[in-house]
Amino acid sequence: MSASRPFQCLFARAKIPSRLCPRRTFQTGTRLQARRTPKHRSIKASDLGLIKRKASDPELTAEDLRPYSENEKAALAKRYTPEQLAAIEAGEAAVDLNDLAEQGAAREDAMKLNYLDDFSSIHPVVDKPVRAPEENYDPNLRFKTEDELAGDLTNWVKDLPDEPTRLDWIKFMDNTRLTVGKPEAELNPRSYLAPEIPKLDILKRNVTGNEEIDPATRRLMRQTGFDSTDIRRIRVKQLIQHRVTNQTRLGRIASYYYLAVAGNGKGLIGIGEGKSSEHEEARQQARSAAIRNMQPIPMYEGRTIFGDVKGKVSATEVELMTRPPGFGVRCQSLIFEICRCAGIQDMAARVTRSRNHMNTVKATLQALLSQRLPEEIARARGRKLVDVRKVYYSGNV
């Protein structure tokens, strides 16, 4: 027996794992891979010179952001409770004045936020409406009679100075009440009506000038609300065209089929089909149907789609995948033209199974319309939405 045998047995026993049974996993989903190291280093917007101030905005320093004076605190105490004032002071004390002076500038690059909140005004759609209290309601409120209005006018004439001016008449019109009851019921009435939604100016546009508009364009203007200039700017591309023959007892009847895609390059996309015995009529039908069927599609940062989506029409399956900035549109020609009309700049696509051209176009549009927005996912999960650009692209941005 060799002398090294006991040592071999000892080392072999040390290699045996302490736990022979496999470890149970209580997670039903797939395991997440380790976070990859970013390929490119993080670059701040200030390093690129994207944070710029307008010429009209003054340069702020930490000395300009001084604390509230006693007179300002007294003015704020008239509108806020002591608890609210304490919360305001605590919130402002938590913000570094140097950071506020340096970063309090609006960005002007493509990655900037597309909104700026003005807390001094109330938006009729987004903000919660400020309603009058319930005490302002007066069930006995009524309009004044003609005699009562005449009495008010008589009293105002008696109290006029020797040399009345136009200002006296303006004050009389502003201060004269038209109802009898609580003054608050007329000056600040309680209303349960929803705020009025602002109207779109684009629907009020009328064609001006001496330009001649063909009947097809005029019909599109009535159906879509666009003016002739907007319709001319829409990009229309004929994707599919072929000759169709219908066999009847009278012989073969030939017709032409066209499938077109239309988009404004800013998120509106639509497809249309046309069939006629004449080339031009079928092409015009497809163009008009594509413009009428335009629908908005969500776009991440105005250049790509939200996540990977799939679409299926008949035996054709299309998979669209989001890509980081600068990737481009790498896909087949039909999907490339759709992305070009919609304004998508970075995306990859794969067509599996059947490659029928008509079904490919329809499946691509179905996939673009089936995107799930991060706001909807966060609302469904009860979470808050934050900027997850680095997580979204696995650290490549």
Side-chain angles (χ1 to χ4, degrees):
M1 180 176 179
S2 176
S4 61
R5 181 68 180 270
F7 295 98
Q8 294 178 0
C9 297
L10 180 61
F11 290 135
R13 187 177 299 274
K15 294 181 181 179
I16 299 177
S18 60
R19 190 181 184 91
L20 298 179
C21 60
R23 184 183 299 272
R24 288 188 61 187
T25 58
F26 297 94
Q27 184 70 18
T28 58
T30 58
R31 292 187 177 183
L32 298 177
Q33 299 180 356
R35 181 178 177 85
R36 296 186 298 177
T37 304
K39 184 178 180 181
H40 306 283
R41 65 183 184 88
S42 299
I43 301 177
K44 298 182 179 180
S46 57
D47 300 338
L48 300 177
L50 300 177
I51 299 180
K52 300 178 181 179
R53 294 184 180 274
K54 298 180 181 179
S56 58
D57 296 342
E59 291 290 340
L60 294 179
T61 59
E63 290 75 12
D64 298 334
L65 304 173
R66 55 181 178 79
Y68 290 118
S69 61
E70 296 298 332
N71 297 333
E72 293 174 344
K73 290 182 179 180
L76 292 175
K78 298 179 181 179
R79 297 196 57 179
Y80 301 101
T81 61
E83 293 79 5
Q84 293 175 338
L85 286 177
I88 293 174
E89 294 178 355
E92 293 188 354
V95 179
D96 190 1
L97 298 182
N98 294 324
D99 294 342
L100 186 61
E102 294 177 0
Q103 303 181 9
R107 296 175 56 171
E108 298 180 355
D109 59 310
M111 304 299 177
K112 67 177 181 180
L113 298 176
N114 58 352
Y115 62 88
L116 289 175
D117 288 336
D118 185 7
F119 296 102
S120 61
S121 60
I122 297 177
H123 196 278
V125 178
V126 180
D127 297 333
K128 183 178 180 181
V130 179
R131 303 185 184 275
E134 294 282 354
E135 293 77 12
N136 290 7
Y137 175 70
D138 186 5
N140 300 323
L141 187 69
R142 65 174 181 83
F143 285 100
K144 289 184 177 181
T145 61
E146 296 181 0
D147 297 338
E148 292 174 342
L149 293 175
D152 295 341
L153 181 59
T154 304
N155 296 333
W156 173 72
V157 172
K158 291 180 179 179
D159 298 338
L160 276 178
D162 297 337
E163 297 180 358
T165 60
R166 185 179 179 183
L167 183 61
D168 298 332
W169 172 254
I170 295 177
K171 291 182 179 180
F172 169 74
M173 296 297 296
D174 294 340
N175 300 329
T176 302
R177 293 184 51 198
L178 302 178
T179 59
V180 177
K182 288 184 178 180
E184 297 82 3
E186 179 182 353
L187 302 178
N188 189 17
R190 173 72 178 185
S191 176
Y192 295 93
L193 299 177
E196 183 181 359
I197 298 178
K199 299 180 180 180
L200 299 177
D201 297 335
I202 188 174
L203 300 179
K204 299 180 180 179
R205 295 180 182 176
N206 296 323
V207 180
T208 58
N210 299 326
E211 57 181 355
E212 296 182 359
I213 303 175
D214 57 306
T217 304
R218 193 177 300 276
R219 191 181 309 111
L220 282 176
M221 293 169 57
R222 292 196 302 265
Q223 294 172 348
T224 61
F226 296 148
D227 57 10
S228 58
T229 305
D230 296 336
I231 294 178
R232 284 196 299 266
R233 292 177 179 175
I234 294 177
R235 178 181 179 84
V236 181
K237 179 69 175 180
Q238 307 292 340
L239 299 181
I240 303 172
Q241 54 181 352
H242 53 254
R243 185 172 179 268
V244 182
T245 303
N246 183 21
Q247 181 67 42
T248 65
R249 63 184 181 87
L250 300 178
R252 295 181 179 179
I253 300 177
S255 60
Y256 300 93
Y257 172 84
Y258 281 83
L259 189 145
V261 59
N264 64 346
K266 299 179 181 179
L268 280 180
I269 191 69
I271 61 175
E273 299 173 305
K275 183 185 292 186
S276 177
S277 58
E278 300 293 336
H279 278 283
E280 189 61 32
E281 185 177 355
R283 186 185 296 108
Q284 184 63 31
Q285 288 180 9
R287 176 181 179 274
S288 302
I291 296 177
R292 286 196 308 267
N293 298 334
M294 285 196 308
Q295 304 179 49
I297 60 172
M299 296 173 59
Y300 180 71
E301 294 181 347
R303 56 172 187 81
T304 186
I305 59 177
F306 284 92
D308 300 346
V309 292
K310 296 181 179 181
K312 182 179 182 299
V313 174
S314 187
T316 302
E317 295 182 357
V318 176
E319 182 180 359
L320 307 181
M321 295 157 285
T322 182
R323 287 296 181 262
F327 184 85
V329 180
R330 304 181 187 180
C331 53
Q332 62 159 276
S333 60
L334 297 176
I335 304 178
F336 177 83
E337 293 296 341
I338 295 176
C339 296
R340 191 176 181 183
C341 293
I344 299 176
Q345 304 172 9
D346 304 299
M347 195 190 73
R350 181 186 297 113
V351 182
T352 59
R353 297 183 61 188
S354 173
R355 283 168 172 75
N356 182 274
H357 289 179
M358 296 168 56
N359 293 339
T360 300
V361 174
K362 297 177 182 178
T364 303
L365 182 61
Q366 182 187 34
L368 291 175
L369 295 176
S370 63
Q371 301 180 54
R372 295 188 63 189
L373 297 179
E375 293 84 353
E376 299 177 358
I377 300 176
R379 191 182 302 109
R381 297 180 180 178
R383 303 293 183 179
K384 293 182 179 180
L385 180 65
V386 297
D387 188 3
V388 289
R389 187 179 294 110
K390 292 185 178 180
V391 181
Y392 193 73
Y393 291 116
S394 303
N396 292 334
V397 178

